[in-house]
Amino acid sequence: MYKNIITLVFAFLFVSVLHTNAEQKPNILIIMADDCTHSDLPLYGGQNVKTPHIDQLASQGMTFNNAYVTMSMCVPCRAELYTGLQPVSSGVCWNHAIARTGTQSIVQYLGELNYRVGITGKVHADPRSVYPFEIVEGVEDNCVSTTAKYDAAGMREFMARDQEQPFCMVTALVVPHIPWTVGDPSHFKPEEFDLPPYLADNKETRTEFAKYLAEVEVLDQQIGETLALLDDLKIADNTIVIFTSEQGAQLPFCKWTNWNNGVHTGFVVRWPGKVESGVRTDALIQYNDVLPTLLDALGSTTKAEFDGSSFLPVLLGEKDTHREYAYFMHNNVPEGPAYPIRSVTDGKYHYIRNLSPENLYIERHLMARMPLNKYWPSWVFDASDDPEILDLVTRYQKRPAEELYNLADDPNEMKNLSNQKEVSGIQKKLSKELDKWLKEQGDPGAGLDTYEELQNARKGNHFKALND
């Protein structure tokens, strides 16, 4: 009799353990680069630098060929990732703006699911009431620092603190954001670079590009060390890992623009046992889709309304498409004089509308802040006797009202097809779709790109001037 009782007890305990393991929610690790142009990574065809840790992660998960941020600047794109909202919805329509009071972020949503949510490195998300992350020390948090401090002890402690409670850890690295002062560029041979066609080919550009690539190497090393923590703690098999390269580098035609190399982001998801290893997808996604996807994966029943939607079926191999269009916006204030831009892509064609084409485009960080950017003055100087460089300088600063590019044939967007008869139907369709999105978002367009609106938003009075 006692033997039967003991057998039943052990059987009950065994079943209980199995049930507990089955119910255990996965940990989440989000690793963000800072201003890394996706097309410079070997994963997306880059030829000038090696990134073995990123490549290995991709071999263990799913790589997204068509992932985008809505705004190619740090604060808005991080707000989008953390809230599942596009800029007008969150109120973060400018760099260094704060989210609307009452907005909820990944911290609250995962907290409701009993997650610990921490961040280490660059935060760039305000106010604290919207983003109450646990701050984990150890990783450089100043993106314009001349160093890139990396100490994994804080992350290790956070991850290992409570094996019974799942965690979400955001590791927000500051490389390869300018100034490009970390890493070792000496082993590169600038004269042998496969320089992207949107960059002026001169000595200064090649020298600075080498420094940028050295920081991409540091990025890859820090990613490798971060991923190693999961193996050391034996939790890799129960952790969803997301790597994203954020927006493009602080180079012309990348960050601060709506061009493809500004808004297109590298994006990889590893989830052992759920996401097939070494696969790629053409499914179109944006940062505002990430939070809804994570909540869907965790079985959340939240009734919250997001601009994004879950692409979990893509991750699980049940679908190969997600959204039909991705949308983009740019407000140049406070990084320069007003230069509002809106655009849309269906994954093949990209339609851009410059709302104030009569203005001269100026971005102060890229053009005027010496010695951080030594290449731009060399472009202006060399434009006097180099027609190709003159064309790049002119194209960057003086833009037409409309642009249209075939991303499949021209991913660097060097040939504007706007108003050409053979693509007029495509242009009209995308223009109509952009109008629809602006109306749905309540985006007034050029009226947002003012210092008055930014100052009102910083005081919590989003769009006050427009509503008065």
Side-chain angles (χ1 to χ4, degrees):
M1 177 179 178
Y2 289 109
K3 182 183 290 186
N4 290 338
I5 292 174
I6 292 173
T7 301
L8 287 172
V9 169
F10 275 108
F12 175 77
L13 291 174
F14 179 70
V15 171
S16 297
V17 169
L18 288 179
H19 179 73
T20 300
N21 288 339
E23 293 295 319
Q24 187 177 7
K25 287 184 168 59
N27 303 305
I28 300 167
L29 173 63
I30 300 173
I31 306 176
M32 295 186 72
D34 196 355
D35 292 4
C36 180
T37 305
H38 85 288
S39 56
D40 291 327
L41 299 174
L43 186 61
Y44 292 96
Q47 301 292 317
N48 299 307
V49 65
K50 295 180 180 179
T51 55
H53 298 294
I54 295 174
D55 294 348
Q56 182 179 21
L57 177 66
S59 73
Q60 299 165 344
M62 177 177 288
T63 299
F64 284 77
N65 296 326
N66 294 302
Y68 293 92
V69 301
T70 299
M71 293 186 74
S72 61
M73 57 185 77
C74 298
V75 175
C77 81
R78 287 162 195 260
E80 180 183 4
L81 182 70
Y82 300 149
T83 66
L85 301 175
Q86 288 175 321
V88 173
S89 298
S90 69
V92 188
C93 296
W94 312 263
N95 212 17
H96 305 294
I98 65 173
R100 295 175 189 270
T101 302
T103 302
Q104 297 220 318
S105 71
I106 189 172
V107 187
Q108 290 92 348
Y109 290 117
L110 292 188
E112 293 172 0
L113 299 175
N114 195 37
Y115 273 73
R116 295 180 290 113
V117 186
I119 190 169
T120 188
K122 178 174 176 175
V123 179
H124 263 44
D126 288 304
R128 178 77 175 162
S129 60
V130 173
Y131 309 100
F133 287 102
E134 176 182 340
I135 304 300
V136 178
E137 301 295 334
V139 175
E140 181 62 62
D141 62 358
N142 180 4
C143 61
V144 294
S145 172
T146 57
T147 64
K149 177 181 68 174
Y150 180 92
D151 182 345
M155 281 190 287
R156 176 184 289 274
E157 187 280 328
F158 179 84
M159 293 177 180
R161 185 187 305 160
D162 185 351
Q163 294 294 328
E164 298 302 316
Q165 184 182 25
F167 67 80
C168 173
M169 176 85 249
V170 179
T171 302
L173 306 171
V174 297
V175 279
H177 194 288
I178 61 163
W180 298 319
T181 53
V182 302
D184 178 15
S186 65
H187 68 90
F188 289 107
K189 296 180 179 179
E191 67 278 3
E192 297 179 4
F193 283 157
D194 182 18
L195 205 65
Y198 55 82
L199 296 181
D201 192 351
N202 62 17
K203 180 180 178 180
E204 288 80 6
T205 302
R206 288 179 173 271
T207 299
E208 294 301 303
F209 197 65
K211 295 176 183 178
Y212 157 68
L213 293 179
E215 292 221 352
V216 175
E217 287 186 324
V218 174
L219 166 70
D220 187 70
Q221 293 162 9
Q222 293 185 349
I223 288 172
E225 293 181 52
T226 303
L227 292 172
L229 291 173
L230 303 180
D231 295 324
D232 292 345
L233 295 171
K234 302 187 186 321
I235 57 175
D237 286 345
N238 192 42
T239 301
I240 300 172
V241 176
I242 295 174
F243 161 70
T244 179
S245 63
E246 207 202 35
Q247 70 259 336
Q250 192 154 295
L251 288 161
F253 302 97
C254 297
K255 185 180 181 180
W256 314 115
T257 78
N258 274 33
W259 281 310
N260 188 48
N261 280 310
V263 295
H264 198 147
T265 187
F267 199 87
V268 178
V269 180
R270 184 183 77 184
W271 188 5
K274 297 287 188 178
V275 174
E276 187 178 351
S277 297
V279 296
R280 303 184 78 106
T281 177
D282 289 329
L284 197 61
I285 66 168
Q286 288 196 261
Y287 264 17
N288 59 84
D289 296 320
V290 176
L291 178 56
T293 301
L294 289 174
L295 294 176
D296 191 13
L298 301 177
S300 170
T301 57
T302 180
K303 301 299 183 183
E305 294 184 1
F306 300 106
D307 287 321
S309 60
S310 172
F311 54 84
L312 182 62
V314 174
L315 290 176
L316 300 181
E318 298 168 357
K319 292 180 62 179
D320 56 11
T321 60
H322 181 54
R323 57 168 61 240
E324 188 174 0
Y325 300 101
Y327 310 92
F328 317 108
M329 68 184 299
H330 176 79
N331 292 319
N332 210 43
V333 168
E335 313 305 355
Y339 203 95
I341 311 168
R342 305 293 187 266
S343 65
V344 60
T345 183
D346 61 3
K348 181 177 180 180
Y349 285 93
H350 183 197
Y351 169 74
I352 301 175
R353 189 182 295 165
N354 297 301
L355 304 184
S356 300
E358 70 280 3
N359 294 351
L360 188 69
Y361 178 81
I362 298 172
E363 202 293 311
R364 61 182 180 177
H365 299 288
L366 189 148
M367 295 178 173
R369 287 205 168 177
M370 295 290 286
L372 294 184
N373 293 319
K374 298 179 180 179
Y375 48 83
W376 181 257
S378 75
W379 288 31
V380 175
F381 185 87
D382 289 350
S384 62
D385 56 12
D386 189 319
E388 291 185 4
I389 294 179
L390 174 60
D391 181 65
L392 289 173
V393 171
T394 303
R395 184 168 175 261
Y396 189 64
Q397 291 200 268
K398 193 65 177 175
R399 307 176 190 179
E402 295 180 290
E403 301 172 65
L404 181 69
Y405 300 98
N406 184 331
L407 297 177
D409 298 337
D410 181 23
N412 291 309
E413 297 179 321
M414 303 301 294
K415 184 179 180 180
N416 183 11
L417 304 176
S418 179
N419 299 320
Q420 293 190 12
K421 184 177 180 180
E422 60 269 27
V423 291
S424 60
I426 295 168
Q427 182 169 342
K428 183 178 180 180
K429 178 183 177 181
L430 291 178
S431 177
K432 184 177 180 180
E433 181 61 33
L434 183 59
D435 287 336
K436 177 184 174 183
W437 178 65
L438 294 176
K439 183 177 181 179
E440 290 173 349
Q441 287 283 295
D443 181 354
L448 278 183
D449 200 4
T450 68
Y451 281 94
E452 182 179 11
E453 280 302 322
L454 173 61
Q455 291 305 320
N456 285 327
R458 285 175 172 172
K459 296 173 184 177
N461 300 319
H462 291 82
F463 315 140
K464 180 178 185 300
L466 294 174
N467 294 327
D468 283 351

